[in-house]
Amino acid sequence: MARERREGRRISDALLDELLAGEDPAEVFREGTLIADLKKAVAERALDAEMDAHLEGASERELGNHRNGHNRKRVLTDDGAFELAVPRDRAGRFEPQLVERYCRRLPGFDDKVISMYARGMTTREIRGHVTELYGVTVSAELISKVTDAVLDEVAEWRSRPLEEVYAIVYFDAVRVKIRDEGLVRNKAVYLAIGVTCSGRKEVLGLWIAQTEGAKFWLSVMNELKARGVMDVLIAVVDGLRGFPDAIEAVFPQATVQTCIMHLIRRSLAYASYRERRPLAAALKTVYRAPTEAAAETALAALEAGPWGKKYPAIARSWRSAWEHVVPFLVFSEPIRRAIYTTNTIESLNGKIRRAVRTRGHFPNDRAATKLIYLALRDLKNGWRAPPLFWHLVRPEFAIRFGERYVVDGS
């Protein structure tokens, strides 16, 4: 076993002895000088190699260009700062690639700052963290510049092409405090999560608006269509005002389904804490009914019973949305569960809330968009595979929606 460990090493014992030069390894790790020295040596060797390649070019040889000493530059890395000797040429045409001209950060530092920002740390907290860990003082402007680099990625992500057909699209909103025209307002960040016909999930986009309405949702639908979406089979919404009209204008064949879990939460809000469990059981007879007729009967019984008499607003709220409550009842249990249980959108909202919790408010829409995008960016790695039950629902989707159900662009 010991032999296997020795054979697996990439650095020989002799080289390690030379690097340590009799120093206590514990002290080396505490001070971090060995790692910094290694990075400095590797970076300067790479820059010298770049200069050699530059001077070996045909045009430089013809002009007789040659080395002309070094410039000193203090650079930031992901674990500290050091002074770097950057070679220069006589003609002044050398453009280093590892540390570009006017750049004072090595690869890795920006990623660390962005990672801290994505976890909800404020600019002040990031500055303190960098100073405490690396002994480097950075300005708020530098941190803003580093994180603003994400905006180009956001713009590309927002305009990327989408699938032609989505089996299910969930629409929901998270409230975030953003300064607007000198006042801190509660703005809604709207999110759309699409499930492709092969069962893969992806965040289609995010939008920030002061108020929601038919005009706003019409612009969202038109944007999705412009990015390649030709059809949405089922759209699940949280009673968003003006949405049905907007989606019917752009995707006239879509089935609009009110989110059942949101209806349940609004209903439970009328009751006291002790009453919520039995009330939830009573509501289950409505949305778990086998047919639309059975659901109508169950709602009538609820309305005429003790719950309806005590809280008449509950039945009224269900009846006002009834047209968009019952569409999912024609499907089998696996599809029903995918529609009325909103674990996907709720986990997404939870991640966003955790990221923004430490912020009192955002200075503008751009800052909010930047942080929310970073909070969402790593989700795609966990959403590559379709859910385990998707193979059970594909035949039913194919039968109910016919040629509209297109898998993998086929």
Side-chain angles (χ1 to χ4, degrees), residues 208-394:
I208 298 178
Q210 184 65 42
T211 58
E212 63 183 78
K215 289 184 179 179
F216 170 75
W217 285 112
L218 183 61
S219 67
V220 170
M221 295 304 110
N222 283 329
E223 178 185 323
L224 294 178
K225 189 169 185 178
R227 290 167 59 193
V229 181
M230 303 307 296
D231 195 7
V232 173
L233 304 186
I234 303 172
V236 183
V237 298
D238 175 23
L240 300 170
R241 187 170 64 254
F243 183 84
D245 294 336
I247 197 169
E248 287 170 8
V250 182
F251 304 111
Q253 293 182 286
T255 299
V256 180
Q257 172 68 50
T258 292
C259 175
I260 301 299
M261 294 306 295
H262 281 83
L263 269 176
I264 295 172
R265 289 195 189 100
R266 282 199 291 270
S267 300
L268 296 181
Y270 290 102
S272 66
Y273 181 79
R274 291 184 177 181
E275 293 175 319
R276 289 180 180 178
R277 180 167 292 185
L279 177 56
L283 291 171
K284 188 179 292 186
T285 62
V286 179
Y287 66 86
R288 287 288 185 89
T291 64
E292 180 180 345
E296 174 70 41
T297 302
L299 181 60
L302 178 73
E303 190 174 22
W307 292 118
K309 293 177 180 178
K310 189 172 184 179
Y311 304 113
I314 293 177
R316 284 200 302 268
S317 67
W318 283 71
R319 290 199 180 279
S320 64
W322 195 248
E323 177 186 357
H324 300 304
V325 169
V326 295
F328 83 112
L329 293 174
V330 301
F331 296 102
S332 63
E333 182 62 23
I335 297 180
R336 289 189 186 190
R337 195 181 308 117
I339 294 173
Y340 75 73
T341 59
T342 54
N343 292 337
T344 296
I345 199 77
E346 290 301 324
S347 63
L348 188 70
N349 290 346
K351 186 175 181 66
I352 293 173
R353 291 189 184 98
R354 285 192 296 273
V356 304
R357 189 175 297 152
T358 58
R359 308 296 181 99
H361 66 273
F362 291 94
N364 49 52
D365 290 357
R366 187 177 71 169
T369 300
K370 185 168 58 176
L371 177 60
I372 292 169
Y373 169 75
L374 288 171
L376 301 176
R377 189 169 62 175
D378 61 343
L379 284 177
K380 61 184 180 181
N381 296 326
W383 284 359
R384 287 176 180 170
L388 296 176
F389 70 86
W390 195 255
H391 71 283
L392 301 174
V393 305
R394 287 176 63 172

